[in-house]
């Protein structure tokens, strides 16, 4: 169930609110509520009151700057998926880890997903996941149909088809993984964001990512390698894959998420002019 904040009072440039009916009353500046996008947790009536108190309207939501940033993050999110997933058909060695070929790209998808959740809220995060899953499913169907066509040059076509033969199935599996793991990531992320009142961004990113990555590793490896590897080999591969992604997330993805959120907010919010694209 989604967390909903309850507006208590707007006074002296501050918002007083409760996280639950019988909970404590918190108070934050309106700037803080907007810049951390905590306004996303209020109902529509309260949201309009908060935005109006800041001198802006909710009508032009996500137009201009905000819409542009969301579109860029969404494109980067889907692009990373479409690059990493086909590469995952082959296994590579990195340091002492055996990993899918797209391992250096795939974890970055969580950077853009968490950035969208942080800046634009839960609904936009869910929308990104649904769009990505639909895109992967459509790509799977298109490739499957295309591979059924007869090639003119038999030898070349056979070699070409051999590379792509497992791709429709792999894309379909990942479409399911995106719906499961990334939605779970979104759920954990936004629960933590609500209860921590928008603070501790790195902690929230890390917790939601390591849980989401675990779900993703388990589902896609068990599904794609069903009947191809022994259970012991698959479990070892899952642990290897998950351990590497956690380390990669700590070293690379967490700083990238902080940088992405900071840069996007600098572009979207114009504090000096007291205008916000929400």
């Amino acid at each position: 169930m989604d967390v909903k904040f309850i507006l208590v009072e707007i006074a002296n440039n501050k918002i007083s609110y409760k996280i639950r009916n019988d909970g404590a009353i918190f108070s934050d500046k309106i700037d803080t509520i907007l810049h951390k996008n905590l306004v996303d947790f209020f109902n529509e009536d309260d949201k309009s009151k908060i935005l109006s108190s800041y001198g802006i309207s909710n009508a032009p939501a996500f137009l201009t700057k905000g819409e542009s940033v969301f579109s860029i993050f969404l494109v980067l999110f889907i692009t990373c998926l479409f690059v990493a997933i086909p590469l995952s058909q082959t296994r590579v060695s990195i340091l002492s880890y055996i990993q899918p070929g797209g391992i250096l790209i795939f974890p970055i998808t969580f950077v853009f997903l968490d950035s969208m959740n942080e800046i634009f809220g839960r609904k936009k995060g869910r929308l990104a996941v649904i769009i990505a899953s639909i895109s992967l499913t459509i790509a799977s169907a298109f490739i499957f149909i295309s591979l059924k066509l007869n090639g003119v040059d038999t030898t070349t076509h056979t070699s070409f088809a051999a590379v792509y033969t497992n791709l429709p199935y792999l894309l379909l599996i990942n479409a399911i993984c995106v719906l499961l793991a990334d939605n779970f990531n979104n759920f954990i992320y936004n629960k933590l964001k609500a209860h921590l009142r928008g603070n501790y961004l790195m902690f929230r990113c890390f917790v939601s990512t390591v849980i989401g990555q675990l779900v993703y590793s388990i589902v896609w490896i068990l599904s794609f390698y069903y009947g191809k590897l022994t259970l012991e080999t698959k479990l070892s591969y899952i642990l290897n894959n998950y351990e590497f992604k956690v380390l990669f997330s700590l070293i690379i993805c967490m700083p990238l998420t902080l940088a992405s959120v900071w840069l996007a907010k600098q572009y979207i919010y114009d504090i000096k002019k007291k205008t916000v694209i929400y």
Side-chain angles (χ1 to χ4, degrees), residues 13 30-31 34-35 49-56 270-271 274-276:
N13 199 35
I30 299 178
D31 283 350
L34 290 173
H35 297 167
K49 292 176 184 177
I50 294 169
L51 293 171
S52 297
S53 71
Y54 198 76
I56 59 176
D270 188 347
I271 300 172
K274 201 180 180 181
T275 59
V276 179

Side-chain angles (χ1 to χ4, degrees), residues 35-37 113-121 189-190 193 198 201 204 261 265:
H35 297 167
K36 291 183 178 180
N37 198 23
L113 184 59
D114 286 348
S115 296
M116 285 185 280
N117 272 295
E118 178 65 19
I119 299 168
F120 303 107
Y189 183 91
N190 284 295
K193 183 178 180 180
L201 173 58
R204 289 185 278 118
V261 169
K265 285 185 176 181

Side-chain angles (χ1 to χ4, degrees), residues 143-154:
I143 295 172
F144 178 79
I145 294 170
S146 298
L147 288 174
K148 297 300 181 182
L149 300 175
N150 294 320
V152 175
D153 187 332
T154 305

Side-chain angles (χ1 to χ4, degrees), residues 72-127:
I72 290 170
F73 280 149
L74 179 60
V75 168
L76 291 172
F77 173 57
I78 295 176
T79 298
C80 287
L81 285 172
F82 272 100
V83 173
I85 291 170
L87 290 174
S88 67
Q89 296 180 92
T90 185
R91 290 187 289 171
V92 298
S93 176
I94 302 179
L95 301 176
S96 60
Y97 295 95
I98 304 299
Q99 296 295 311
I103 190 60
L104 298 181
I105 302 165
F106 176 77
I108 299 174
T109 61
F110 284 84
V111 171
F112 301 120
L113 184 59
D114 286 348
S115 296
M116 285 185 280
N117 272 295
E118 178 65 19
I119 299 168
F120 303 107
R122 300 161 293 176
K123 291 181 180 179
K124 288 293 183 178
R126 290 178 192 144
L127 178 63

